[in-house]
């Protein structure tokens, strides 16, 4: 459970601001915890004073170091917790930083008042300086609440399975298209006819055009990134089978271009700390790696020399695999009828049959709502899931239920769900798993020519 500690002079503001919202409901359900801490409770001054005038003169008052330090100590003890000071002098808050903060088990947010806080205590307790934008506020509480709202909704389970934040990331960093609801005519204004046509392809096309037009007009900075990603996708599509993992990462809107020089390309999927790399030569590959941050948890490479270069950097070969993709648009027939989306109640079952990931990872996949199970006589006997970076995997069917097409049904079922969301299903099959290769072939997946390697960083890189 993620805990948000908020050090503030106005704890009731945090409570009242967040309790009625979805975030408050998640706290009620113990998915997250809100812990507002009143800094004033920690002052050693007998009248409860927490502020004083600044040395060197100037207008207003400053929050003193002692109460802030002791409030922080009371929360953190001897632990080194990530501590965010919300301040106009901070790094601009954005969705990327929200995703990063959502990975923490515990966060401390420190809110300033008056003219701010004595610099000396900031030096000792703060790990991150974060700003929500350029305007003058009377206190940091609203900024802290903005951050909590944006971070908490990314925590699996906060929004519930149906509207998971993961699925929304398919927005691709474009602004929303205009939306309409009943009535069809209001103030003489007609709902655009295409939306009444029932033609889903036409509707999707219209919405994308509207999104692009709006983004280009009001946020040219966002649009530029979108265009760069689209262009790279187009270049990669010349060798779709070998590049689909990179293309899908970009197309789903959560791939960051770290490097793109000619045929040397590195795309980073931050949530899973996975960097997908395509190099055209050892020299190009070396230059590419020099331009990647050194704390990347995983690399996916498809050249032997890249594998070797990464070994030199301390990465270990995690697995060798083939890449497979499903390029058709038609859904696959699903033979087995009882396939259901799995929730947390299946955590133990999945963990006991899936040894490639931690139980925290499986829990996350279940909460995000991307795991499906096959049931026989109401008993779970196998499962499949989508990995955090977007590939299909974690396929398992109990020994005594094999040979009756359950694996094919599970995979067909998840392929169909992915097609509904407009993404191209692809996956990695570990070298030597002939049974899985046969299944992929039977379902109509194509195999990429290259061999792929997942390279794992050392634990201390993460
Ligand atoms: N604000 C600016 C320049 C100088 C001061 C401020 C200002 C609250 C304690 C900080 C403001 C804006 C975004 C925290 C603004 C934020 C705050 C934030 C904030 C009282 C001192 C103060 C940016 C206009 C040039 C007051 C601008 N994100 N001082 O607002 O805490 O997190």
């Amino acid at each position: 459970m993620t805990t948000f500690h908020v050090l503030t002079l106005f704890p009731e503001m945090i409570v009242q601001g967040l309790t009625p919202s979805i975030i408050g409901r998640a706290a009620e359900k113990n998915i997250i915890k809100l812990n507002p801490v009143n800094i004033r409770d920690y002052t050693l001054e007998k009248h409860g004073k927490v502020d004083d005038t600044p040395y060197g003169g100037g207008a207003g008052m400053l929050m003193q170091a002692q109460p802030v330090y002791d409030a922080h100590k009371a929360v953190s003890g001897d632990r080194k917790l990530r501590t965010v000071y919300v301040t106009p002098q901070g790094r601009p808050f954005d969705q990327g930083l929200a995703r990063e903060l959502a990975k923490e088990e515990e966060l401390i947010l420190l809110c300033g008042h008056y003219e701010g806080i004595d610099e000396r205590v900031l030096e000792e307790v703060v790990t991150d300086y974060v700003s929500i934008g350029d305007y003058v506020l009377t206190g940091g509480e609203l900024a802290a609440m903005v951050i909590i709202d944006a971070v908490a909704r990314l925590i699996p389970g906060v929004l519930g399975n149906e509207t998971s934040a993961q699925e929304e990331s398919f927005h691709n960093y474009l602004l929303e298209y205009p939306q309409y609801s009943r009535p069809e005519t209001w103030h003489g204004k007609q709902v655009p006819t295409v939306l009444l046509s029932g033609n889903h392809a036409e509707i999707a096309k219209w919405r994308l055009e509207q999104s692009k037009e709006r983004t280009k007009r009001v946020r040219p900075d966002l649009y530029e990134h979108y265009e760069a990603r689209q262009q790279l996708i187009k270049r990669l599509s010349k060798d779709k089978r070998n590049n689909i993992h990179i293309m899908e990462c970009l197309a789903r809107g959560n791939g960051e271009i770290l490097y793109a020089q000619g045929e040397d390309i590195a795309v980073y999927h931050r949530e899973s700390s996975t960097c997908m790399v395509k190099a055209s030569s050892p020299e190009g590959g070396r230059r590419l790696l020099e331009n990647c941050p050194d704390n990347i948890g995983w690399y996916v490479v498809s050249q032997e020399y890249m594998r070797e270069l990464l070994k030199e950097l301390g990465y270990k070969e995690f697995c060798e695999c083939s890449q497979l993709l499903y390029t058709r648009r038609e859904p696959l027939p699903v033979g087995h009828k009882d396939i259901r989306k799995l929730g947390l109640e299946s955590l133990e079952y999945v963990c006991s049959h899936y040894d490639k990931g931690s139980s925290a990872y499986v829990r996350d996949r279940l909460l995000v709502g991307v795991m499906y199970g096959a049931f026989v006589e109401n008993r779970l006997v196998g499962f499949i899931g989508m990995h955090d970076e977007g590939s299909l995997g974690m396929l398992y069917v109990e020994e005594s239920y094999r040979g009756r097409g359950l694996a094919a049904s599970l995979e067909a079922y998840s392929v169909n769900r992915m097609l509904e969301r407009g993404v191209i299903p692809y996956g990695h099959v570990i070298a030597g798993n002939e049974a899985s290769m046969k299944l992929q072939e039977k379902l109509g997946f194509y195999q990429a020519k290259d061999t792929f390697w997942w390279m794992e960083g050392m634990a201390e890189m993460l």
Side-chain angles (χ1 to χ4, degrees):
M1 180 173 55
T2 312
T3 304
F4 297 91
H5 306 278
V6 188
L7 312 184
T8 166
L9 291 175
F10 297 96
E12 67 282 4
M13 212 177 145
I14 306 293
V15 176
Q16 288 169 8
L18 293 173
T19 302
S21 71
I22 292 175
I23 308 306
R25 212 166 318 148
E28 229 163 71
K29 287 193 279 176
N30 291 322
I31 298 166
I32 57 166
K33 189 170 151 58
L34 268 179
N35 177 32
V37 175
N38 193 341
I39 295 170
R40 200 178 297 278
D41 292 345
Y42 292 88
T43 180
L44 298 174
E45 214 277 337
K46 51 185 176 297
H47 304 294
K49 194 167 79 82
V50 291
D51 62 327
D52 208 331
T53 54
Y55 281 113
M61 303 291 269
L62 270 187
M63 284 167 69
Q64 292 170 285
Q66 177 273 319
V68 171
Y69 186 77
D70 288 353
H72 186 270
K73 198 90 201 146
V75 166
S76 64
D78 310 318
R79 298 170 306 163
K80 186 101 188 77
L81 293 183
R82 198 148 178 190
T83 301
V84 173
Y85 178 40
V86 288
T87 165
Q89 283 89 263
R91 160 178 168 193
F93 184 64
D94 62 9
Q95 195 60 18
L97 185 49
R99 288 211 180 99
E100 197 183 314
L101 295 177
K103 288 211 196 84
E104 301 290 331
E105 271 288 307
E106 261 178 273
L107 268 182
I108 301 178
L109 291 123
L110 172 59
C111 307
H113 252 269
Y114 316 115
E115 300 304 311
I117 303 180
D118 189 308
E119 191 71 20
R120 291 167 297 185
V121 65
L122 299 178
E123 283 170 8
E124 293 201 10
V125 306
V126 173
T127 58
D128 301 76
Y129 294 80
V130 178
S131 166
I132 62 158
D134 295 340
Y135 28 75
V136 180
L137 295 176
T138 58
E141 284 74 16
L142 282 166
M145 284 156 68
V146 165
I147 292 172
I148 292 169
D149 190 272
V151 171
R153 66 180 288 289
L154 296 175
I155 294 167
V158 168
L159 296 186
N161 274 356
E162 296 317 311
T163 46
S164 84
Q166 172 122 358
E167 305 209 3
E168 278 175 50
S169 67
F170 299 146
H171 278 322
N172 210 355
Y173 278 84
L174 286 173
L175 300 180
E176 283 284 0
Y177 43 79
Q179 308 219 61
Y180 305 84
S181 183
R182 264 184 269 277
E184 236 179 85
T185 311
W186 182 82
H187 278 201
K189 292 177 165 129
Q190 210 70 33
V191 172
T193 44
V194 58
L195 297 178
L196 309 172
S197 69
N199 184 335
H200 294 292
E202 278 302 312
I203 292 171
K205 204 173 122 199
W206 182 84
R207 285 177 166 170
L208 178 61
E209 271 320 306
Q210 293 287 319
S211 281
K212 282 167 67 177
E213 186 278 320
R214 269 189 180 185
T215 310
K216 196 171 181 172
R217 180 161 43 85
V218 301
R219 292 295 304 278
D221 55 327
L222 286 183
Y223 190 74
E224 202 178 299
H225 280 118
Y226 170 79
E227 272 291 295
R229 285 199 303 274
Q230 294 314 109
Q231 266 165 31
L232 191 50
I233 290 171
K234 205 165 156 198
R235 263 168 45 213
L236 290 165
S237 67
K238 294 197 184 94
D239 189 5
K240 194 167 180 177
R241 290 188 192 187
N242 284 323
N243 295 334
I244 191 67
H245 60 313
I246 310 180
M247 291 166 62
E248 274 301 297
C249 186
L250 291 165
R252 297 177 197 187
N254 40 25
E256 247 171 84
I257 304 172
L258 286 183
Y259 190 80
Q261 294 292 318
E263 302 289 296
D264 301 317
I265 287 153
V267 169
Y268 188 42
H269 186 267
R270 199 174 280 276
E271 281 120 295
S272 60
S273 190
T274 305
C275 187
M276 302 171 188
V277 160
K278 179 79 181 266
S280 59
S281 70
E283 301 72 49
R286 201 180 283 276
R287 253 195 316 278
L288 176 155
L289 290 179
E290 277 164 15
N291 283 280
C292 293
D294 52 17
N295 60 351
I296 286 173
W298 300 90
Y299 275 93
V300 184
V301 300
S302 50
Q303 281 89 33
E304 265 169 69
Y305 53 80
M306 291 310 287
R307 183 192 65 197
E308 296 310 313
L309 276 173
L310 282 163
K311 279 186 189 164
E312 283 171 32
L313 291 176
Y315 284 80
K316 284 197 316 269
E317 184 178 320
F318 178 76
C319 67
E320 180 179 310
C321 48
S322 301
Q323 177 157 286
L324 293 114
L325 70 158
Y326 184 82
T327 51
R328 292 183 230 167
R329 301 286 167 90
E330 312 86 71
L332 285 162
V334 181
H336 186 69
K337 289 304 159 216
D338 197 357
I339 293 180
R340 312 175 200 162
K341 187 188 270 194
L342 298 180
L344 261 196
E345 69 286 348
S346 309
L347 179 61
E348 216 179 296
Y349 181 87
V350 176
C351 284
S352 66
H353 298 293
Y354 181 70
D355 55 8
K356 281 252 164 208
S358 65
S359 87
Y361 180 66
V362 173
R363 182 173 184 275
D364 176 83
R365 297 292 87 203
L366 287 166
L367 280 167
V368 165
V370 291
M371 295 211 65
Y372 302 100
F375 289 77
V376 173
E377 282 153 11
N378 226 14
R379 201 173 84 76
L380 181 58
V381 300
F383 54 81
I384 194 167
M386 191 171 84
H387 283 294
D388 51 3
E389 95 296 355
S391 66
L392 210 46
M394 303 185 262
L395 178 57
Y396 170 81
V397 173
E398 270 179 45
E399 191 98 38
S400 49
Y401 291 89
R402 290 180 197 164
R404 43 164 117 173
L406 288 181
S409 292
L410 277 166
E411 187 158 346
Y413 188 89
S414 30
V415 162
N416 295 349
R417 298 289 83 73
M418 294 176 93
L419 293 176
E420 280 167 9
R421 286 198 232 151
V423 308
I424 298 175
Y426 79 92
H428 291 140
V429 173
I430 294 182
N433 189 346
E434 295 306 328
S436 180
M437 284 306 273
K438 274 224 183 72
L439 172 61
Q440 310 311 321
E441 202 177 309
K442 190 179 117 192
L443 291 171
F445 275 70
Y446 291 122
Q447 186 185 345
K449 287 261 173 1
D450 291 350
T451 300
F452 287 75
W453 293 274
W454 277 80
M455 304 297 293
E456 182 181 19
M458 294 165 291
E460 58 267 29
M461 288 175 171
L462 296 168

